[in-house]
């Protein structure tokens, strides 16, 4: 068994299976108990994720559906139904992008912002406290670290996510410095 996190072939295949099965169970329980926690507001965990994402300062003026889908790591098709239900409840709206009249942006409505701030946020805080009972701050930091490592590996397995990541890296890279053509100085 390697200590550097190398491959999993040298260790018991059962250990990897247990880890992934436990992750699957946690995801299912998050969905079940998270939806139950917000039952009074008829909000599912998928809707919770969308509303939470839209509260980010970067999305305050709205976000394109494709960008929201990429942020949440879901398909546009899966997101479309969630957005339709949230629109029907008047929690989100589609607005015209000020930079491109052909594009639409998704943003919280005042009713959606009020729902999030006044109702959901306290319930979610209590839910987090209960779900993370017995976890120290250090435990939580370690868990985020390991889940981030796994997420990076999942993205490497997903050709669409890898292509998006490469595109984001290219977009974030500074523009190359313009080439300065040296003009020979006139001879005297």
């Amino acid at each position: 068994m390697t200590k550097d996190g190398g491959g999993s072939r040298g260790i018991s295949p059962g250990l990897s299976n247990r880890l992934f099965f436990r992750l699957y169970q946690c995801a299912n329980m998050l969905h079940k108990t998270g939806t139950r926690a917000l039952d009074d507001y008829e909000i599912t965990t998928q809707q919770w994720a969308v509303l939470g994402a839209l509260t980010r300062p970067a999305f305050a003026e709205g976000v394109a559906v494709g960008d929201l889908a990429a942020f949440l790591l879901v398909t546009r098709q899966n997101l479309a139904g969630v957005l339709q239900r949230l629109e029907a409840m008047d929690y989100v709206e589609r607005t015209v992008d000020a930079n491109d009249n052909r594009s639409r942006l998704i943003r919280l409505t005042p009713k959606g912002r009020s729902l999030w701030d006044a109702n959901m946020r306290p319930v979610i805080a209590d839910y987090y406290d209960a779900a993370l009972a017995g976890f120290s701050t250090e435990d939580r930091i370690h868990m985020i670290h390991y889940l981030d490592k796994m997420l990076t590996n999942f993205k490497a397995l997903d050709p669409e996510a890898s292509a998006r990541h490469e595109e984001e890296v290219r977009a974030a890279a500074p523009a190359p410095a313009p080439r300065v053509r040296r003009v020979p100085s006139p001879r005297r």
Side-chain angles (χ1 to χ4, degrees):
M1 181 161 117
T2 61
K3 287 188 177 186
D4 65 354
S8 64
R9 298 193 195 263
I11 60 172
S12 164
L15 182 59
S16 295
N17 187 56
R18 284 181 65 190
L19 173 66
F20 277 85
F21 186 66
R22 198 67 76 229
L23 188 61
Y24 174 77
Q25 289 175 316
C26 286
N28 286 332
M29 290 302 292
L30 168 63
H31 175 66
K32 179 181 176 181
T33 60
T35 297
R36 189 179 308 135
L38 293 170
D39 231 5
D40 290 346
Y41 309 104
E42 298 179 358
I43 295 292
T44 66
T45 53
Q46 293 89 352
Q47 293 166 339
W48 168 2
V50 170
L51 293 171
L54 292 174
T55 65
R56 296 171 55 86
F59 297 160
E61 298 302 314
V63 60
V65 173
D67 293 339
L68 183 58
F71 177 74
L72 295 170
L73 299 177
V74 298
T75 65
R76 289 174 66 111
Q77 293 79 9
N78 286 343
L79 185 57
V82 176
L83 289 174
Q84 286 173 347
R85 288 186 291 282
L86 289 171
E87 277 184 290
M89 293 185 276
D90 193 32
Y91 294 142
V92 302
E93 63 185 354
R94 294 176 198 267
T95 62
V96 176
D97 185 345
N99 299 321
D100 181 357
N101 289 338
R102 299 168 297 165
S103 297
R104 300 290 179 262
L105 301 177
I106 304 296
R107 70 178 180 195
L108 285 176
T109 62
K111 181 179 176 183
R113 172 58 75 178
S114 176
L115 171 77
W116 180 264
D117 289 338
N119 303 107
M120 290 178 61
R121 198 174 275 191
V123 172
I124 291 168
D126 290 345
Y127 177 78
Y128 288 161
D129 287 345
L132 294 170
F135 284 78
S136 67
T137 300
E138 188 174 282
D139 291 338
R140 295 171 195 210
I141 291 168
H142 285 294
M143 184 178 280
I144 291 168
H145 169 75
Y146 291 125
L147 290 173
D148 281 346
K149 282 178 77 168
M150 184 177 276
L151 186 57
T152 298
N153 291 343
F154 281 136
K155 287 179 180 179
L157 293 171
D158 180 6
E160 291 174 21
S162 294
R164 267 193 316 271
H165 176 70
E166 289 174 19
E167 192 175 294
E168 289 168 3
V169 168
R170 277 194 300 276
R179 288 185 150 184
V180 177
R181 187 169 172 219
R182 295 192 179 262
V183 178
S185 59
R187 295 188 181 188
R188 293 184 187 166

